[in-house]
Amino acid sequence: MREDGKIDYVELPGGELLPTKRFYEAAFGWTFTDYGPSYAAFEQGVDGGFDSDAAGTQQPLVVLYAHDLEAMAAKVEAAGGAILKPIFSFPGGRRFHFRDPSGNELAVWSEG
């Protein structure tokens, strides 16, 4: 069961996706689920994905989970976080991005 505020997903820049997938398959035996031509997800202890869209992930992005996304966004702001990307939908759910007081960008997601 997913828990509020726990690390649930890690999104990484994908660069050229096919060589990236081949590397992780050969080196570690990973398997992937493709979500379009620019995204490949993996389940390897911590779920995650490689995003090769130029407008997508530019650095590793830690993604936390929340049962109530609006309530979690309010808690993030009340604690001093800055919302960078307001809540938006993506295939499989919704999420927002925020910056913590140290300047780290993280995201929080929730199912549909």
Side-chain angles (χ1 to χ4, degrees):
M1 179 174 179
R2 293 188 158 105
E3 295 182 49
D4 276 350
K6 302 294 182 190
I7 295 173
D8 190 65
Y9 201 84
V10 177
E11 200 164 80
L12 301 165
E16 289 190 44
L17 205 50
L18 188 56
T20 299
K21 288 171 41 179
R22 285 184 179 153
F23 168 79
Y24 283 93
E25 288 168 347
F28 305 108
W30 289 15
T31 58
F32 295 90
T33 302
D34 292 330
Y35 292 98
S38 64
Y39 200 92
F42 55 81
E43 296 177 16
Q44 303 300 324
V46 170
D47 293 351
F50 290 102
D51 184 357
S52 69
D53 186 337
T57 306
Q58 301 300 310
Q59 60 188 11
L61 179 70
V62 172
V63 183
L64 309 175
Y65 183 79
H67 291 283
D68 183 336
L69 203 57
E70 287 78 11
M72 189 64 75
K75 288 172 73 173
V76 165
E77 286 186 299
I83 302 297
L84 301 175
K85 293 183 184 177
I87 295 172
F88 63 93
S89 296
F90 67 92
R94 301 181 310 134
R95 77 183 194 191
F96 68 90
H97 292 210
F98 69 94
R99 179 171 291 124
D100 71 14
S102 294
N104 298 302
E105 181 175 348
L106 291 89
V108 181
W109 87 283
S110 185
E111 295 162 306

